[in-house]
């Protein structure tokens, strides 16, 4: 859970980086391609020198051929692509904290359903009342934060911008579940990350080609090299999540990581505001309510989720 918390902090930084890159390029799809594609290039470079990673990728391919790993379980990167695209589209407009609150709602509710359906390698996780209460609280947190933010800014056009983070968060729970299966059969977190980044990059490149035909390419490229490092943060998160999910399940992985995202996003918007966004009291309250929801759901998931985890690892 501590590892997931740290990766969540890094993801809030990735949100700011990808959002700023999309703003400066005036091309959100291209910013997402750069982030995901950069991560893919780094993984391919490591694949060339890492024997253990090549063995892990070979085990994953063999598992697909034998049916141990289903082809759709290799498509977690599609959800990751949606998340990165949502970062590039919305963070500069609504801020990291508001974006993260939306992701928390989608990820928590989806994590509850994914664990109940047993899509992750940890098997089915029961829907105890603390988990359900935690999911409901996160939805209330988003509603409260959004209502307060719209009241202060009187801009109803911002309402639709929270839909993308919620959808992206819901997809992340599914992504963590299926990537966990890839990590389990390959026994290599980096091999699982490579499968994830390959699928996501293909989807984003296709989306960018459509955007290129309609809108054209960017007029200029940002000079700040840090804006091109979003993919590196993504590698850390995907690789870590692919084996942590086997220990603690999809819901607790998601809750721990979003706790880190919430803390990091509030700090970023408070001390490093970007563009016209600013940290509002309603957003801080929404983040606080979401953290309480995480605590409730975590209490409901820890003890009951332990036995299926042992069976999965054995």
């Amino acid at each position: 859970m501590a590892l997931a918390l740290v990766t969540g902090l890094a993801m809030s930084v990735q949100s700011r980086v990808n959002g700023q890159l999309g703003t400066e390029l005036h091309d959100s799809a291209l910013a997402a391609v750069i982030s995901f594609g950069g991560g893919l290039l780094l993984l391919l470079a490591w694949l060339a020198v890492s024997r253990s990673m090549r063995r892990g990728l070979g085990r994953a391919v063999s598992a697909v051929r034998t049916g141990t790993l289903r082809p759709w379980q290799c498509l977690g990167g599609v959800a990751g692509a949606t998340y990165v695209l949502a970062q590039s589209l919305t963070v500069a407009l609504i801020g990291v904290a508001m974006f993260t609150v939306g992701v928390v709602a989608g990820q928590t509710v989806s994590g509850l359903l994914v664990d109940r359906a047993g899509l992750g390698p940890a098997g089915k996780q029961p829907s105890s009342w603390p988990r359900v209460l935690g999911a409901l609280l996160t939805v209330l947190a988003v509603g409260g934060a959004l209502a307060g933010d719209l009241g202060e800014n009187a801009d109803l056009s911002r309402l639709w911008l929270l839909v993308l983070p919620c959808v992206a968060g819901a997809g992340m729970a599914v992504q963590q579940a299926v990537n966990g299966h890839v990590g389990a059969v390959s026994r290599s977190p980096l091999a699982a990350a490579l499968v994830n980044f390959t699928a996501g990059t293909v989807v984003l490149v296709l989306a960018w080609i459509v955007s290129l035909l309609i809108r054209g390419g960017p007029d200029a490229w940002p000079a700040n090299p840090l804006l091109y490092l979003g993919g590196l943060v993504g590698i850390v998160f995907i690789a870590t999540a692919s084996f942590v999910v086997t220990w603690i399940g999809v819901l607790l992985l998601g809750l721990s990581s979003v706790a880190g995202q919430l803390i990091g996003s509030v700090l970023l918007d408070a001390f490093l505001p970007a563009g016209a966004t600013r940290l509002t009291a309603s957003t801080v309250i929404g983040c606080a309510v979401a953290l309480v929801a995480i605590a409730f759901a975590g209490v409901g998931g820890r003890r009951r989720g332990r036995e299926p985890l042992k069976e999965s690892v054995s």
Side-chain angles (χ1 to χ4, degrees):
M1 289 179 70
L3 284 173
L5 181 70
V6 172
T7 58
L9 288 168
M11 287 180 69
S12 64
V13 176
Q14 184 196 43
S15 296
R16 171 59 55 83
V17 168
N18 288 342
Q20 188 63 29
L21 180 61
T23 299
E24 295 194 19
L25 284 172
H26 301 289
D27 191 332
S28 301
L30 179 56
V33 169
I34 291 172
S35 177
F36 238 79
L40 177 60
L41 290 176
L42 289 172
L43 286 168
L44 289 173
W46 187 250
L47 179 67
V49 299
S50 173
R51 184 178 300 175
S52 62
M53 186 177 174
R54 290 195 298 270
R55 286 198 297 262
L57 185 61
R59 284 190 288 265
V61 172
S62 297
V64 173
R65 289 174 177 171
T66 60
T68 305
L69 184 67
R70 298 178 182 178
W72 64 267
Q73 292 174 325
C74 299
L75 299 178
V78 176
T82 304
Y83 178 82
V84 173
L85 185 59
Q87 288 176 330
S88 303
L89 280 169
T90 62
V91 167
L93 298 173
I94 63 177
V96 180
M98 182 65 75
F99 172 84
T100 305
V101 171
V103 170
V104 168
Q107 191 171 359
T108 305
V109 175
S110 179
L112 185 71
L113 299 176
V114 167
D115 269 353
R116 183 174 178 81
L119 294 182
K124 291 186 177 182
Q125 305 289 305
S127 296
S128 59
W129 71 264
R131 286 186 170 206
V132 176
L133 179 59
L136 291 175
L137 279 175
T138 57
V139 175
L140 291 176
V142 171
L146 181 61
D149 186 66
L150 291 176
E152 293 178 23
N153 294 283
D155 185 2
L156 294 178
S157 64
R158 292 157 59 95
L159 181 62
W160 72 272
L161 291 173
L162 206 63
V163 174
L164 275 176
C166 289
V167 172
M172 283 187 67
V174 179
Q175 178 193 32
Q176 290 161 357
V178 297
N179 284 349
H181 284 286
V182 179
V185 299
S186 67
R187 301 196 294 276
S188 171
L190 289 178
L194 179 59
V195 173
N196 177 90
F197 272 80
T198 300
T201 301
V202 170
V203 171
L204 288 173
V205 167
L206 293 175
W208 176 67
I209 290 174
V210 174
S211 174
L212 183 64
L213 294 174
I214 297 174
R215 301 174 62 249
D219 297 326
W221 294 85
N224 186 352
L226 296 178
L227 296 181
Y228 300 95
L229 299 180
L232 179 60
V233 179
I235 290 175
V236 174
F237 172 74
I238 296 301
T240 303
S242 66
F243 68 88
V244 171
V245 69
T246 307
W247 300 340
I248 62 177
V250 175
L251 181 64
L252 287 183
L253 168 62
L255 295 178
S256 301
S257 64
V258 297
Q261 290 179 66
L262 287 170
I263 295 169
S265 64
V266 168
L267 294 175
L268 282 171
D269 278 353
F271 298 105
L272 295 172
T277 64
R278 61 188 180 87
L279 188 65
T280 63
S282 59
T283 302
V284 174
I285 293 172
C287 288
V289 173
L291 285 172
V292 172
I294 289 169
F296 268 107
V299 168
R302 204 166 44 240
R303 184 175 302 170
R304 295 192 179 194
R306 188 173 297 164
E307 193 61 34
L309 291 176
K310 288 183 178 179
E311 294 172 3
S312 174
V313 172
S314 63

